[in-house]
């Protein structure tokens, strides 16, 4: 579907130095002189309680291309029966996540729409980096090794722990749940990506 209905209909201007879209590349990049500008959009599709995770995901996606996120913007859409308390909670959660990453929440857009039944949050991350350090999936060669850093599926396990706390505790016990939540609470891979980028990797992806 992506190839047939999305990628095929995206045209690039002749001479533009833009990277993306492509399979396995969750951020885009554009070259300006000696600088490469990165951007990434991450929707919070699992509910408003995970909007802070979208900020971290945007930072991860940019880091996987060799960039450093510098600021984020938040697009918030609420249904007609929205509660102002929700607006405040989401804004505070996104702002806190940005602060923890050492970046600024530069603004965004807030609106009401009758086309949504609940809050819809999309985070746009913007970063910078040097052109020669850009990491693109098209650079991957067939004879290269795959290196995994840390635990896999941390994001999914974090969501499962939040959504099914009672069922997990009933089946596996409180000790197992506490360990599961603790080990999967930190999904940022910025440090791992920084180290990998200095070791000659061709491309990276967070899982």
């Amino acid at each position: 579907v992506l190839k047939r209905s999305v990628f095929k209909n995206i045209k690039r201007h002749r001479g533009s130095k833009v990277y993306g879209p492509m399979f396995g590349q969750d951020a885009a990049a554009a070259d300006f002189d000696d600088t490469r500008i990165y951007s990434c959009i991450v929707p919070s599709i699992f509910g408003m309680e995970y909007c802070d995770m979208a900020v971290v995901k945007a930072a991860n996606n940019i880091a996987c291309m060799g960039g450093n996120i510098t600021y984020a913007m938040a697009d918030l859409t609420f249904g007609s029966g929205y509660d102002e308390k929700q607006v405040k909670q989401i804004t505070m959660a996104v702002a806190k996540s940005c602060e923890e990453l050492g970046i600024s929440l530069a603004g965004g857009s807030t609106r009401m729409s009758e086309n949504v039944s609940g809050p819809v949050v999309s985070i746009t991350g913007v970063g910078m980096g040097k052109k020669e350090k850009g990491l693109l999936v098209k650079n991957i060669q067939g004879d290269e090794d795959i290196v995994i850093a840390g635990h896999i599926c941390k994001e999914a396990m974090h969501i499962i722990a939040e959504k099914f706390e009672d069922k997990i505790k009933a089946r596996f016990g409180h000790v197992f749940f506490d360990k599961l939540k603790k080990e999967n609470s930190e999904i940022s891979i910025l440090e791992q990506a920084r180290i990998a980028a200095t070791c000659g990797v061709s491309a990276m992806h967070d899982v």
Side-chain angles (χ1 to χ4, degrees), residues 37-67:
I37 305 298
Y38 300 88
S39 60
C40 175
I41 299 177
V42 179
S44 181
I45 60 176
F46 296 104
M48 72 173 196
E49 61 266 35
Y50 303 104
C51 58
D52 55 338
M53 183 186 294
V55 178
V56 181
K57 285 286 294 179
N60 285 352
N61 291 338
I62 290 174
C64 284
M65 287 189 72

Side-chain angles (χ1 to χ4, degrees), residues 151-165:
H151 300 288
I152 63 172
C153 299
K154 293 184 71 174
E155 178 187 352
M157 294 308 298
H158 175 76
I159 295 171
I160 290 173
E162 291 287 343
K163 283 188 171 292
F164 303 103
E165 177 177 350

Side-chain angles (χ1 to χ4, degrees), residues 18 21 52 59 67-68 72-73 87 93 95 98-99 128 131 134-135 139 164 166 206:
V18 177
D52 55 338
N68 298 302
M73 300 183 72
V87 180
C98 288
E99 183 179 356
M128 300 176 63
K131 288 196 296 185
L135 304 173
N139 297 334
F164 303 103
D166 293 338
D206 63 328

Side-chain angles (χ1 to χ4, degrees), residues 44-111:
S44 181
I45 60 176
F46 296 104
M48 72 173 196
E49 61 266 35
Y50 303 104
C51 58
D52 55 338
M53 183 186 294
V55 178
V56 181
K57 285 286 294 179
N60 285 352
N61 291 338
I62 290 174
C64 284
M65 287 189 72
N68 298 302
I69 189 169
T70 54
Y71 68 87
M73 300 183 72
D75 182 281
L76 314 179
T77 303
F78 298 89
S80 57
Y82 79 95
D83 182 355
E84 186 176 345
K85 185 178 180 181
Q86 284 185 326
V87 180
K88 185 176 182 179
Q89 287 177 336
I90 291 175
T91 303
M92 291 176 64
V94 172
K96 181 181 178 182
S97 187
C98 288
E99 183 179 356
E100 291 174 349
L101 290 173
I103 65 175
S104 299
L105 177 58
S109 177
T110 306
R111 67 179 67 84

